[in-house]
């Protein structure tokens, strides 16, 4: 499953967006069971402060954070840039078709120009026109990439179109693995990255939410990839334990996750994680009212490898 060049799972640099007009997006509420109403001015102020503190904490750990501001009231989910673009080691930058119409306004050419100039992304895959055919794929919300083993995992949903997913995987040289997942009420998981997180040495996943027909295949792929499986309960998934991301800081690898998620992990789970990662909890409870957490707030920059 690996090639001659081993790609890093944990980016050293990331993109984050600080919102000035944060609210819980009404256009995504229908299929995002993690969302809560949040329309007050105080919520916007709190979300601004949560991003500010998260950036400071990650920068202090040695992560390079490229912070962009969003002052528009028309883009309530702009704090989640991971959904509209992703970067890959072979110099490719991918732009994605978003499900909610107001989320399509989050695309930022200034961010694309900056990344292209600084990190030399020479190849752009632009899938955005697929939204006109009601076909959607929402970046590293829809897809959880195992960069080292070149496997891409995706839970099927109306935000994750099967044809688009497999077509993208083929174009960037990843094995695509589509599976079904739902909560205890039978509601499909809207984004794969609330269900699972892949680090260099372990995978955190709500396996009870994965359809029984798909579990054996996932376990086999994790074993082939040398990944220790940390199984998460339904309650831990609701507390965003699956919505974490491994980054590389000045002292090595770290797992960025929310304080909500950190408090929901068991001591034994934390011990497994801390064998390879420093746990870095970030207080983002206001932002979590919009249905996403730390992983959604971070777009990793995977540097080009020739």
């Amino acid at each position: 499953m690996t090639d001659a060049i081993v790609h890093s799972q944990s980016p050293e640099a990331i993109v984050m967006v600080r919102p000035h007009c944060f609210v819980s997006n009404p256009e995504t509420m229908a299929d995002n069971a993690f969302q809560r109403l949040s329309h007050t001015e105080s919520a916007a102020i709190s979300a601004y402060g949560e991003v500010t503190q998260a950036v400071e904490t990650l920068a202090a750990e040695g992560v390079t954070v490229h912070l962009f501001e969003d002052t528009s009231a028309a883009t309530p989910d702009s704090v989640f840039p991971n959904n509209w673009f992703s970067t890959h080691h072979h110099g490719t930058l991918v732009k994605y078709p978003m499900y909610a119409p107001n989320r399509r306004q989050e695309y930022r050419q200034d961010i694309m120009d900056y990344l292209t100039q600084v990190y030399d992304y020479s190849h752009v895959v632009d899938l955005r026109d697929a939204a006109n055919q009601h076909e959607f794929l929402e970046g590293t919300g829809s897809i959880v990439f195992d960069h080292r083993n070149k496997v891409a995992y995706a839970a099927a949903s109306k935000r994750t179109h099967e044809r688009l997913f497999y077509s993208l995987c083929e174009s960037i040289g990843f094995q695509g693995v589509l599976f079904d997942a739902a909560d205890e009420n039978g509601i499909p998981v809207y984004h794969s990255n609330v269900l699972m997180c892949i680090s260099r040495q372990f995978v955190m996943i709500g396996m009870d939410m994965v359809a029984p027909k798909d579990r054996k295949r996932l376990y086999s792929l994790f074993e082939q990839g040398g990944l220790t499986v940390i199984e998460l309960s339904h309650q831990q998934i609701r507390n965003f334990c699956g919505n974490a991301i491994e980054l590389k800081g000045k002292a090595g690898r770290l797992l960025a996750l929310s304080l909500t998620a950190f408090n929901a992990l068991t001591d034994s789970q934390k011990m497994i994680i801390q064998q390879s990662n420093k746990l870095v909890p970030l207080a983002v409870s206001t932002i979590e009212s919009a249905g996403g957490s730390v992983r959604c707030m971070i777009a990793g920059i995977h540097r080009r490898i020739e």
Side-chain angles (χ1 to χ4, degrees), residues 37-96:
L37 287 173
S38 175
H39 290 92
T40 65
E41 182 179 348
S42 62
I45 295 171
S46 295
Y48 182 96
E50 288 174 2
V51 173
T52 301
Q53 184 59 54
V55 169
E56 292 175 357
T57 300
L58 294 173
E61 293 289 341
V63 178
T64 298
V65 183
H66 299 291
L67 179 63
F68 295 85
E69 307 291 336
D70 179 47
T71 59
S72 173
T75 49
D77 275 338
S78 63
V79 70
F80 303 136
N82 79 305
N83 296 133
W84 62 266
F85 81 95
S86 67
T87 62
H88 301 272
H89 294 95
H90 37 63
T92 298
L93 189 153
V94 184
K95 304 176 185 179
Y96 294 90

Side-chain angles (χ1 to χ4, degrees), residues 200-234:
R200 189 198 179 289
Q201 292 185 240
F202 60 83
V203 53
M204 302 166 64
I205 183 168
M207 193 62 85
D208 286 346
M209 301 174 76
V210 175
K213 66 179 177 62
D214 293 320
R215 293 174 191 169
K216 183 177 180 180
R217 185 184 186 199
L218 293 189
Y219 280 127
S220 177
L221 287 167
F222 297 153
E223 182 179 5
Q224 291 175 48
L227 299 172
T228 299
V229 178
I230 301 174
E231 299 208 18
L232 303 173
S233 68
H234 288 277

Side-chain angles (χ1 to χ4, degrees), residues 43-275:
I45 295 171
S46 295
Y48 182 96
E50 288 174 2
V51 173
T52 301
Q53 184 59 54
V55 169
E56 292 175 357
T57 300
L58 294 173
E61 293 289 341
V63 178
T64 298
V65 183
H66 299 291
L67 179 63
F68 295 85
E69 307 291 336
D70 179 47
T71 59
S72 173
T75 49
D77 275 338
S78 63
V79 70
F80 303 136
N82 79 305
N83 296 133
W84 62 266
F85 81 95
S86 67
T87 62
H88 301 272
H89 294 95
H90 37 63
T92 298
L93 189 153
V94 184
K95 304 176 185 179
Y96 294 90
M98 308 287 283
Y99 174 73
N102 67 1
R103 293 216 63 190
R104 298 169 204 165
Q105 300 180 54
E106 295 173 29
Y107 299 114
R108 294 273 298 267
Q109 190 60 45
D110 60 328
I111 296 177
M112 298 294 92
D113 291 343
Y114 179 84
L115 295 179
T116 299
Q117 179 181 357
V118 175
Y119 294 101
D120 189 28
Y121 291 107
S122 58
H123 181 221
V124 175
V125 177
D126 193 341
L127 304 175
R128 290 178 294 172
D129 284 347
N132 297 326
Q133 283 73 50
H134 305 287
E135 297 178 358
F136 310 105
L137 193 63
E138 297 196 334
T140 55
S142 289
I143 308 169
V144 177
F145 289 103
D146 180 347
H147 292 276
R148 294 184 68 253
N149 294 298
K150 301 188 77 172
V151 181
Y153 297 90
S157 76
K158 61 186 178 184
R159 302 195 194 192
T160 303
H161 190 274
E162 180 176 355
R163 182 193 65 79
L164 277 181
F165 170 63
Y166 283 122
S167 175
L168 173 64
C169 289
E170 182 178 1
S171 70
I172 62 175
F174 274 66
Q175 175 187 355
V177 179
L178 192 71
F179 60 93
D180 292 321
D183 65 17
E184 59 265 59
N185 299 314
I187 299 173
V189 174
Y190 83 104
H191 269 166
S192 310
N193 76 356
V194 299
L195 176 73
M196 64 185 296
C197 159
I198 292 179
S199 82
R200 189 198 179 289
Q201 292 185 240
F202 60 83
V203 53
M204 302 166 64
I205 183 168
M207 193 62 85
D208 286 346
M209 301 174 76
V210 175
K213 66 179 177 62
D214 293 320
R215 293 174 191 169
K216 183 177 180 180
R217 185 184 186 199
L218 293 189
Y219 280 127
S220 177
L221 287 167
F222 297 153
E223 182 179 5
Q224 291 175 48
L227 299 172
T228 299
V229 178
I230 301 174
E231 299 208 18
L232 303 173
S233 68
H234 288 277
Q235 185 62 39
Q236 287 179 318
I237 294 296
R238 280 193 292 272
N239 283 294
F240 297 102
C241 291
N243 199 241
I245 181 171
E246 182 178 82
L247 304 172
K248 187 174 181 181
K250 59 189 175 185
R253 294 192 299 274
L254 61 94
L255 189 73
L257 74 171
S258 73
L259 183 60
T260 304
F262 177 84
N263 290 333
L265 290 172
T266 66
D267 288 343
S268 60
Q269 289 170 332
K270 290 176 182 176
M271 286 179 63
I272 295 172
I273 294 168
Q274 289 172 324
Q275 290 174 8

